[in-house]
Amino acid sequence: MNEVAVFGAYGHTGRFVVDELKGRGFVPVLSGRDVGRLAALAAASGLEARPASVDDPASLDRALAGAAAVINCAGPFAATAAPVIEAALRAGIPYVDVAAEIEANADTFAHFADRAAGTAIVPAMAFFGGLGDLLATAALDGRTEADEVHVAYGLSGWHPTHGTRAAGEVSRRRRDGRRVRYTGGRLEYRDDQPPTLDWPFPEPMGPRTVIGEFAMADVVTVPSHLSVPEVRTYMTVEAARDIADPDTPAPAPADESGRSAQTFLVDVVVRAGGTERRAVATGRDIYAVTAPLAVEAVHRLLTGRTRTTGVASAGEIFDAAGFLRALSPHITLDLPA
């Protein structure tokens, strides 16, 4: 059985996921709420389309019927994650999503931790949340405790998709406009401005000014399985300005695969017991690279290469270093020896 349902298949990231599934030998089953866009994608790709809505459980059941797994690419995940997870649990199949919404990911861990025994639910299996968690876990090399985890995002720029903007607006409303950070072993909401500092990115990027405490989904995924009181994430000021500017355009394709020209360097520093270890990943297009992350997760879930079941982040359920090395066609790694 190699059918994988993709909810939100016609979205920007969803299309990358569909192409990656096809390239890996899976048969994507296209699903989503927009019947017109779904039909257009089905006509162009020759794949089966099964329209479904999160407020119609029966339609979700039909969308997942016969599928071996489901990848949820449809945000805002505050609205879609729970209904699609419920459908996956009814079908008895693994669930993976690409959510970058901090609160939506926290909800998944909180609401399904006691209900998913025997079924894998992997939230934030994406550039934000998944990649940083894998890098931090690999840097710890089997240890499960750390004093601090720092995830610095060196983006050349950030041209957000419509879905990114919609998800960000949902998160802002849920936080009442406040910012969030992970400190003292918990999420903390604040009204002040985040700090600005210089981060020593390795070459080829080099030192850059970053927004400190620019919290991303890593503040949920990393402490979900690692005992660490401080998880800090940082963003280059250029990317932070892009995402804050409502006039920043959506990503534009720069090659035949649809990838944009935007590049990234993710620098993870883990401090534990007086030692410091670093893991680095570089590549191109944060949305495109989410596809191999999500599809590699599905491949490992369906071939039994997992360490646990239930709700689990990428670093907990998979062999982090092995997973990252499997992404070598898409990212360049520098992991601790």
Side-chain angles (χ1 to χ4, degrees):
M1 182 185 300
N2 63 348
E3 288 187 345
V4 175
V6 183
F7 190 69
Y10 45 73
H12 186 88
T13 302
R15 287 174 175 265
F16 283 120
V17 169
V18 168
D19 288 344
E20 183 71 16
L21 284 167
K22 290 165 62 179
R24 294 288 296 269
F26 292 100
V27 178
V29 176
L30 312 178
S31 188
R33 297 160 287 187
D34 191 317
V35 175
R37 294 176 71 190
L38 199 62
L41 180 58
S45 64
L47 297 169
E48 181 184 2
R50 299 179 188 174
S53 172
V54 294
D55 56 9
D56 182 357
S59 70
L60 288 172
D61 291 343
R62 290 191 294 270
L64 272 54
V70 58
I71 303 176
N72 183 5
C73 300
F77 292 89
T80 69
V84 181
I85 291 172
E86 295 280 6
L89 291 175
R90 290 193 297 272
I93 61 175
Y95 167 94
V96 171
D97 72 32
V98 298
E101 297 161 46
I102 292 171
E103 291 78 15
N105 286 310
D107 287 348
T108 295
F109 280 101
H111 295 166
F112 293 97
D114 297 330
R115 299 185 50 207
T119 302
I121 296 174
V122 188
M125 194 62 251
F127 178 78
F128 293 118
L131 182 56
D133 182 40
L134 288 164
L135 289 166
T137 307
L140 281 169
D141 193 26
R143 290 173 290 182
T144 58
E145 296 184 4
D147 301 315
E148 304 169 6
V149 171
H150 301 266
V151 184
Y153 288 102
L155 273 58
S156 62
W158 189 353
H159 287 218
T161 65
H162 172 76
T164 295
R165 290 205 182 277
E169 182 56 35
V170 169
S171 289
R172 278 189 291 275
R173 289 200 300 267
R174 293 188 68 175
R175 299 176 196 163
D176 294 325
R178 296 173 295 171
R179 67 182 183 89
V180 62
R181 68 176 184 174
Y182 187 89
T183 185
R186 64 182 180 88
L187 292 175
E188 176 184 272
Y189 290 85
R190 301 175 62 93
D191 293 309
D192 60 343
Q193 292 297 311
T196 301
L197 62 148
D198 292 329
W199 185 266
F201 288 102
E203 296 298 335
M205 177 162 282
R208 295 288 182 93
T209 303
V210 298
I211 305 297
E213 300 176 5
F214 193 100
M216 302 305 295
D218 313 271
V219 300
V220 175
T221 55
V222 171
S224 73
H225 67 106
L226 298 176
S227 178
V228 52
E230 302 293 327
V231 180
R232 302 292 174 89
T233 56
Y234 311 82
M235 183 66 67
T236 45
V237 293
E238 298 88 349
R241 289 171 185 154
D242 281 348
I243 193 69
D245 184 351
D247 295 325
T248 300
D255 62 24
E256 66 283 353
S257 72
R259 293 189 307 166
S260 74
Q262 298 171 89
T263 60
F264 63 82
L265 187 155
V266 184
D267 185 22
V268 175
V269 175
V270 177
R271 299 186 178 120
T275 64
E276 180 176 291
R277 293 168 69 85
R278 191 176 215 161
V280 180
T282 57
R284 180 175 148 201
D285 195 322
I286 64 174
Y287 297 105
V289 82
T290 287
L293 279 158
V295 174
E296 179 65 21
V298 165
H299 177 68
R300 288 175 179 251
L301 289 167
L302 296 180
T303 54
R305 288 184 290 164
T306 57
R307 293 177 163 178
T308 186
T309 58
V311 184
S313 72
E316 180 179 16
I317 197 168
F318 303 118
D319 165 27
F323 192 110
L324 289 166
R325 292 188 180 102
L327 300 175
S328 59
H330 309 280
I331 62 175
T332 300
L333 293 168
D334 184 3
L335 298 180

